Amino acid sequence: MKNLIAANWKMNPNSQKEAKEIFDAIREGTKGLDPEVVVCPPSVYLYASGFGEGIIAMGAQNVYFEEKGAFTGEISAGMLKDLGIEYVIIGHSERRKYFGETDETVNKKIKIALAVGLKIIFCVGETAEERDGGKKNEVLKRQVQNGLKDVFDIDNVNVAYEPVWAIGTGNNCGVAETKEALDFIRQLVKKDTRILYGGSVKSENSGEYIKDAGANGLLVGGASLNADEFVKIIKSAE
Ligand code: PGA
């Protein structure tokens, strides 16, 4: 099982030109390497970034749960598949927080994306409040079980453990605590499901998650917009 290193660019960068520059530099820097890498830019750049070249697969950051129709502003799983997109991030905490995503909509999105043959990066993670209140495992269990309810074809699902308090804060989760959470999630899914870690990953800490916490990959936000830094992270996970 190869490690999966995923870049979540979120709503960055500001221009097609910059997106292409970052993408080209990642492609250059990963020549001759052999991990699985996926770049998830804003959807308007999915086509323009020169996707699917080298070892890099392309991923979307979101998808809608209906097949087609009057859903202004949304993008379907079939459209992504038709464009040659391989992956989609589903259930990111920013989508849960700002866009009303629930376990139920996450579950519907996972099902429709799997049905067209997309691979999933399914995000789960507790908030600081839930962690402080001793509710971490309860939250993780609820998110994993509800998100994967009646999902029978789990081979194309990767789970990303992203503690909300660690995202974009520079306050990455410690190795021991990450290992505990990954082991807990592992009991809830099929044995060979890849479990990633995400939350303030940088090249200084990335290797530990793979080597010491047992992560099968990383979901990288801020640091993935710097191609040199992202390539270092990829190398640390080889
Ligand atoms: P970060 O984001 O690496 O900037 O903390 C991770 C994510 O949100 O996927």
Side-chain angles (χ1 to χ4, degrees), residues 130-148:
E130 290 161 343
R131 178 183 182 233
D132 295 345
K135 294 214 161 70
K136 184 192 335 198
N137 286 356
E138 189 185 311
V139 169
L140 293 179
K141 189 170 177 185
R142 193 202 72 222
Q143 290 181 341
V144 171
Q145 290 185 337
N146 292 348
L148 296 178

Side-chain angles (χ1 to χ4, degrees), residues 8 10 89 92-94 123 162 166-170 198-201 219-224:
N8 175 12
K10 309 193 180 187
I89 298 173
H92 191 279
S93 65
E94 286 152 17
C123 301
E162 294 211 308
I167 295 176
T169 56
S200 296
V201 171
L219 179 52
V220 187
S224 71

